[in-house]
Amino acid sequence: MAAELIPFQPEPEKEPGGQLVDLTYEESQILEFCREGKGRNEIANLTGLSTWKVSTVAAKHGHYFGRAAWLEVANATRAAQLRERKQRLALQLLDNAELYADALSGVGTPKDGQLVAKALRDILESHELLTGVDQGEEVQGTKDFLVELREQLGRVRDGFEAQYGVPFDSPEAAEIIKQEAKQDDES
């Protein structure tokens, strides 16, 4: 899916020593700042060029501002949602297992008992597959993931605020995000 969003950029020509060929001074400055991890607005302020020029030069050489961080956060969020759904399903299976265990004591015929016992065994096996061998490890892994996700979101927020100079939770930020999404949809 990410390949559909970001157009393919050919590898820039390089000299045998690894330096890019035929770059203007402005382009080499922009690319150097990109390698240092600076944002589009920060590069524009440092070089005195427009943000459009910075974005155009960077995109020409395969650098896109902010998309990697947003995709990383989106993927991490989706993974957390899937883990949460898996845990909910495992809990539902345990509830069903209790119902079948209760039903097992009140069956009328041995054949009915075998069917209920098989259903109970299948439910418990499914629960084990969903939860893994050690639930404690899964809980700790989820906690670690959530801490890391919070840190990533903080970095994205700080980067946005540094780039645009407005608080991330402000109405101005919402408008900026909306405009960028509209521009991405149009291109």
Side-chain angles (χ1 to χ4, degrees), residues 55-66:
S55 294
T56 303
V57 169
K60 178 180 171 186
H61 296 285
H63 182 81
Y64 298 91
F65 294 98

Side-chain angles (χ1 to χ4, degrees), residues 132-152:
V133 176
D134 186 9
Q135 260 188 328
E137 289 178 13
E138 179 70 24
V139 170
Q140 186 59 44
T142 301
K143 285 179 182 178
D144 294 342
F145 168 76
L146 290 174
V147 167
E148 183 180 328
L149 180 60
R150 182 180 64 198
E151 291 170 358
Q152 286 177 343

